[in-house]
Amino acid sequence: MKILIVDDDDRLSAVIAEALREAHHTVETEVDGKSGWELFEASPYDLVVLDVLLPGLDGVRFCQQLRSRGYETPVLMLTSRDTSQDKVLGLDSGADDYVVKPFDLPELMARIRAMLRRGTSAPPVLQWGPMQLDPSSCDVTYSGHPVKLTPKEFSLLELFLRNAQQVFSRSAILDRLWTFEDPPNEDAVKALIKRLRQKLVRVGAAPDAIETVYGLGYRLKSQA
């Protein structure tokens, strides 16, 4: 699943994002409402985790704008305000659930899982030639053969599949797959790419299925 977190608390966003990535979700984060909205409009998401108090565009207006334009994406609101009036305002704006800070992370994850299960349809299986990646089950196959991947390998492959032909630099991959609190250096991305390529080659993929665009980064090779 692809999830957008919009919260100006970098540390909290990083904690939530890391937990979601460990659960095999693709996660992107923004610190202000306006940038978050631009990111949302540029690409579909399965869920939005949205703070109420945001610079640029607050969470209530963000959610109202989302609903007024016909988007049915589930929204989980986060706020430090714990009054009935604030909860009603958040829910009336179109949010599907409302969590007060500080919160228990396992409970938040359980609420997110419940919201994703309530979706009306399963997310589409991503396909590249004979390779298939199922975001719901986190299964990957190549010509019918299962490919066993670590959470980071799965997230990297999903990133490439969801963004066909887009080139990702090592720094961009670091930003997408790791949190700012404990990021590795760019050599970790190089090693991750190598491991993913090796696992794909073992089941019959070409060595350059993930190709290097010299001086720029990596991308999934286009199908002939």
Side-chain angles (χ1 to χ4, degrees):
M1 297 287 194
K2 189 175 180 182
I3 298 173
L4 174 63
I5 301 173
V6 189
D7 195 318
D8 59 352
D9 186 335
D10 286 339
R11 188 172 298 277
L12 180 62
S13 288
V15 170
I16 300 171
E18 183 64 21
L20 290 170
R21 287 174 180 136
E22 289 300 318
H24 301 284
H25 298 295
T26 298
V27 183
E28 295 179 342
T29 62
E30 275 295 347
V31 296
D32 71 86
K34 184 178 179 181
S35 298
W37 178 259
E38 292 172 352
L39 196 59
F40 179 87
E41 284 203 304
S43 177
Y45 290 87
D46 299 297
L47 176 75
V48 177
V49 179
L50 181 66
D51 189 28
V52 170
L53 299 176
L54 290 169
L57 179 69
D58 67 59
V60 170
R61 288 191 296 149
F62 185 113
C63 197
Q64 289 172 337
Q65 190 167 290
L66 184 147
R67 298 304 183 218
S68 69
R69 300 194 183 186
Y71 293 108
E72 298 181 356
T73 306
V75 174
L76 174 65
M77 273 196 171
L78 303 176
T79 184
S80 56
R81 296 176 173 178
D82 188 17
T83 69
S84 296
Q85 183 178 358
D86 290 319
K87 291 178 181 179
V88 170
L89 179 62
L91 295 172
D92 281 350
S93 71
D96 298 274
D97 202 353
Y98 190 103
V99 176
V100 177
K101 303 175 184 178
F103 50 79
D104 181 65
L105 184 59
E107 179 184 349
L108 178 71
M109 294 296 292
R111 287 178 179 242
I112 289 174
R113 288 193 298 271
M115 291 177 69
L116 292 173
R117 285 196 301 269
R118 289 199 297 266
T120 57
S121 60
V125 173
L126 305 176
Q127 187 158 358
W128 178 84
M131 179 163 57
Q132 292 187 331
L133 181 150
D134 188 337
S136 295
S137 63
C138 297
D139 290 331
V140 178
T141 60
Y142 190 93
S143 296
H145 301 290
V147 185
K148 300 298 182 182
L149 301 177
T150 66
K152 282 289 189 291
E153 292 164 355
F154 181 93
S155 295
L156 179 59
L157 182 59
E158 185 176 14
L159 178 66
F160 286 134
L161 286 167
R162 286 187 181 274
N163 300 275
Q165 291 303 289
Q166 183 174 340
V167 178
F168 289 93
S169 66
R170 292 181 187 177
S171 61
I173 293 173
L174 280 174
D175 289 343
R176 297 293 188 97
L177 268 62
W178 278 272
T179 66
F180 79 98
E181 289 187 322
D182 189 28
N185 58 38
E186 292 187 1
D187 287 340
V189 175
K190 185 177 180 181
L192 181 63
I193 292 283
K194 181 179 180 180
R195 293 197 304 271
L196 181 56
R197 281 173 171 161
Q198 288 173 339
K199 290 187 176 183
L200 295 178
V201 166
R202 289 189 198 121
V203 292
D208 63 345
I210 298 172
E211 64 178 349
T212 300
V213 181
Y214 291 98
L216 296 177
Y218 307 94
R219 69 180 174 191
L220 200 62
K221 188 174 183 179
S222 62
Q223 294 287 293

